[in-house]
């Protein structure tokens, strides 16, 4: 685990940005915050170079970064990588930064583990840009490793005026997405290993698999090695083209076997060596309800039913799922007297770490979103629209053909603060835990909260 973490940090991660070009950087600083936008945009800037200390405690600095994309980078993805003096120890609680266009339009926030701004993908070469970065030089109160201990740095009058940060590298850089994907995979696997028991076989299977993968990477030429993955991608593309040709041949053969289609009878073919959905092995039969996508049917009293012969889902006039009945198992999946697909709005005020923590007591206060702005049919789906506060949610519910599955596509236009949204599914399941799939295995979670 430690070996590949070192490889990722020292050799592989730098290859995410294999080619760089320095930006021209200027700075303007003042005491206190906030600073009006107009003042920051028109302030007198002076040059600053990497390695220069900046930022009095609780002060504000504005940086201007300008540059031109090299012409020979045309066709590649390019980012600006902006290190204002971050340490990667924590994702926050250091200097806070927001990138603006020259007219004041916000572009992107920065933090120690997300310090890039996309320039273009791909670029044409020769693009010029001018960005302004608003930075608050908050002292790193967690630098001792013990958070929120009494310190003179916590109060502006006792914090002094010593600079808090040292400017790091401010570069344009080519972005290699394949290497970035490799780094993300290694980090996820490392975190998964840390959660698995030492005596578990899965932990060591992951370690061996990662070891084999790293053996295939030339750490002296990470980008060149990963470039070889393009061969595999081209092979997959060839397979897709070949599959399309074969599907065309299969379709022609099926039409020849089906004969005259003017009679209006649809047939379902089964190429498997065993029967599937009432269709015999290697044969064909008239299409039944088992092969049809569910079509919304209005219910008495409002709402719709979706049924494909395997699963029947009932959606009431509130857009909530009040029944999901499995015909094969002859049982109801929704808990008695309850409704699923229930959006719930809760306050988000944890005891600390407001941006990350979710304390268990959040459940004590909340509201169910049952009012519907619009409920109707959209093709073979039921569309539900809700509004709350300044936000809006649109859901599209479908039951696919030949599947015991309800698909819910949810789009949220979110404009709330200090709140979070949850989707509740009270299921009639008698089990103490369930398995949730992850990228490299699964984790167990309790079915019922205590």
């Amino acid at each position: 685990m430690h070996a590949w973490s070192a490889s990722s940090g020292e050799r592989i991660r730098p290859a995410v940005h294999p080619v760089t070009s320095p930006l021209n950087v200027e700075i303007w600083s003042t005491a206190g915050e906030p600073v009006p936008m107009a003042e920051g945009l028109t302030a007198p800037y002076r040059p600053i170079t990497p390695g220069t200390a900046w930022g009095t405690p609780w002060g504000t600095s504005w940086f201007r970064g300008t540059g031109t994309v090299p012409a020979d980078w045309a066709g590649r993805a390019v980012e600006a990588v902006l290190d204002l003096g971050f340490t990667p120890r924590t994702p926050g609680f250091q200097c806070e930064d927001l990138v603006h266009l020259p007219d004041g339009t916000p572009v992107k926030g920065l933090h120690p583990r997300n310090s890039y701004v996309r320039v273009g993908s791909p670029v044409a070469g020769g693009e010029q840009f001018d960005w302004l970065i608003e930075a608050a030089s908050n002292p790193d109160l967690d630098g001792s490793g013990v958070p929120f201990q009494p310190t003179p740095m916590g109060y502006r009058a006792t914090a002094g005026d010593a600079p808090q940060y040292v400017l790091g590298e401010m570069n344009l850089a080519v972005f290699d997405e394949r290497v970035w994907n490799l780094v993300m995979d290694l980090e996820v696997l490392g975190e998964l290993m840390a959660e698995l028991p030492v005596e578990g076989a899965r932990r060591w299977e992951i370690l061996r698999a990662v070891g084999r993968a790293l053996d295939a990477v030339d750490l002296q030429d990470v980008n060149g090695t990963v470039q070889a993955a393009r061969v595999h991608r081209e092979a997959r593309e060839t397979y897709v083209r070949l599959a399309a040709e074969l599907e065309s041949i299969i379709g022609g053969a099926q039409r020849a076997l089906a004969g005259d289609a003017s009679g209006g009878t649809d047939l379902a073919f089964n190429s498997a060596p065993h029967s599937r959905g009432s269709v015999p092995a290697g044969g064909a039969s008239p299409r039944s309800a088992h092969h049809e996508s569910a079509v919304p049917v209005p219910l008495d009293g409002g709402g719709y039913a979706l049924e494909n012969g395997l699963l029947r889902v009932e959606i009431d006039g509130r857009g909530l799922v009040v029944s999901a009945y499995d015909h094969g198992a002859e049982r109801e999946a929704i808990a008695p007297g309850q409704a699923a697909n229930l959006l719930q709005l809760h306050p988000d005020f944890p005891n600390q770490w407001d941006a990350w923590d979710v304390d268990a007591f959040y459940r004590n206060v909340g509201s169910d979103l049952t009012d519907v702005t619009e409920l109707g049919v959209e093709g073979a789906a039921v569309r539900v629209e809700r509004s709350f506060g300044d936000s809006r949610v649109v859901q599209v519910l479908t039951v696919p053909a030949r599947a015991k599955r309800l698909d819910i596509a949810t789009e949220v236009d979110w404009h709330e603060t200090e709140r979070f949204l949850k989707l509740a599914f009270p299921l009639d399941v008698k089990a103490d835990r369930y398995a949730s799939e992850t990228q490299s295995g699964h984790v167990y979670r309790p079915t019922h909260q205590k």
Side-chain angles (χ1 to χ4, degrees):
M1 178 176 176
H2 297 294
W4 96 57
S5 295
S7 297
S8 173
E10 297 172 9
R11 298 286 183 83
I12 298 178
R13 182 173 286 278
V16 172
H17 298 109
V19 185
T20 62
S21 176
L23 299 176
N24 299 314
V25 184
E26 299 176 303
I27 188 174
W28 170 74
S29 299
T30 185
E33 58 176 349
V35 173
M37 175 73 68
E39 185 176 356
L41 295 177
T42 59
Y45 289 81
R46 59 178 176 80
I48 183 173
T49 57
T52 304
W54 68 274
T56 58
W58 308 109
T60 299
S61 295
W62 283 69
F63 293 85
R64 167 167 274 136
T66 57
T68 302
V69 176
D72 59 355
W73 290 6
R76 308 177 76 176
V78 174
E79 298 176 341
V81 184
L82 309 171
D83 180 5
L84 298 182
F86 297 126
T87 171
R89 186 189 70 255
T90 63
F93 301 100
Q94 300 175 43
C95 54
E96 300 173 348
D97 315 288
L98 180 62
V99 180
H100 300 267
L101 296 178
D103 63 1
T105 302
V107 175
K108 183 178 183 290
L110 305 176
H111 68 68
R113 299 180 187 175
N114 192 320
S115 59
Y116 71 90
V117 181
R118 180 60 58 92
V119 175
S121 179
V123 297
E127 292 95 332
Q128 297 182 343
F129 63 90
D130 183 352
W131 286 333
L132 297 171
I133 307 168
E134 179 184 10
S137 50
N138 304 332
D140 183 0
L141 301 181
D142 193 24
S144 65
V146 182
F148 301 118
Q149 293 297 299
T151 169
M153 302 304 295
Y155 182 47
R156 185 178 297 168
T158 59
D161 57 4
Q164 296 297 294
Y165 297 95
V166 175
L167 187 67
E169 296 295 324
M170 306 280 279
N171 292 328
L172 274 181
V174 170
F175 173 67
D176 191 325
E177 185 175 2
R178 294 162 304 205
V179 178
W180 181 82
N181 287 331
L182 175 60
V183 171
M184 294 299 102
D185 288 343
L186 290 174
E187 290 188 357
V188 169
L189 290 170
E191 292 165 0
L192 176 59
M193 266 194 60
E195 298 299 321
L196 293 173
V198 174
E199 65 275 11
R202 186 62 174 159
R203 180 187 181 104
W204 303 107
E205 289 173 2
I206 292 172
L207 180 60
R208 287 191 292 271
V210 170
R212 289 192 297 270
L214 288 178
D215 287 342
V217 176
D218 181 357
L219 297 182
Q220 304 300 324
D221 183 17
V222 174
N223 299 95
T225 307
V226 178
Q227 176 70 17
R230 195 165 90 185
V231 175
H232 299 281
R233 185 174 66 251
E234 291 174 350
R236 288 196 299 269
E237 293 171 352
T238 300
Y239 172 80
V240 170
R241 289 194 299 270
L242 179 60
E245 294 176 6
L246 293 175
E247 288 292 344
S248 176
I249 295 171
I250 293 171
Q254 289 178 335
R255 286 189 293 273
L257 291 172
D260 185 7
S262 61
T265 301
D266 291 333
L267 297 179
F269 286 84
N270 176 22
S271 60
H274 54 81
S275 62
R276 298 177 61 185
S278 74
V279 182
S285 67
R287 182 183 293 273
S288 69
H290 290 274
H291 310 108
E292 300 294 337
S293 298
V295 176
V297 176
L299 293 173
D300 294 338
Y304 298 90
L306 294 168
E307 184 166 2
N308 65 357
L310 302 174
L311 179 68
R312 176 182 173 85
V313 174
E314 294 186 2
I315 303 160
D316 69 7
R318 302 168 298 171
L320 304 180
V321 176
V322 293
S323 176
Y325 187 79
D326 183 337
H327 288 292
E330 297 183 346
R331 74 179 303 271
E332 174 62 52
I334 305 299
Q338 300 195 55
N341 192 42
L342 175 62
L343 289 165
Q344 297 175 317
L345 196 63
H346 295 275
D348 184 17
F349 294 108
N351 287 329
Q352 72 173 24
W353 313 121
D354 185 44
W356 295 279
D357 282 8
V358 176
D359 293 329
F361 58 73
Y362 86 87
R363 302 186 188 92
N364 299 341
V365 180
S367 57
D368 295 341
L369 303 180
T370 57
D371 293 338
V372 177
T373 305
E374 181 181 338
L375 175 66
V377 174
E378 186 177 274
V382 175
R383 185 179 185 276
V384 184
E385 181 176 335
R386 306 183 194 276
S387 296
F388 56 93
D390 296 322
S391 302
R392 173 174 165 269
V393 176
V394 175
Q395 294 182 295
V396 178
L397 291 78
T398 56
V399 173
R402 302 180 299 279
K404 294 183 179 181
R405 188 180 78 241
L406 169 65
D407 291 345
I408 304 177
T410 302
E411 180 178 325
V412 182
D413 184 14
W414 183 258
H415 296 279
E416 309 303 305
T417 58
E418 304 294 352
R419 303 166 112 186
F420 62 82
L421 190 63
K422 183 176 74 174
L423 190 61
F425 274 84
L427 301 177
D428 191 17
V429 176
K430 303 299 189 294
D432 62 347
R433 65 179 185 175
Y434 64 94
S436 296
E437 186 178 1
T438 67
Q439 184 178 18
S440 302
H442 62 270
V443 296
Y444 287 111
R445 295 188 172 117
T447 303
H448 305 284
Q449 299 293 333
K450 296 180 179 180

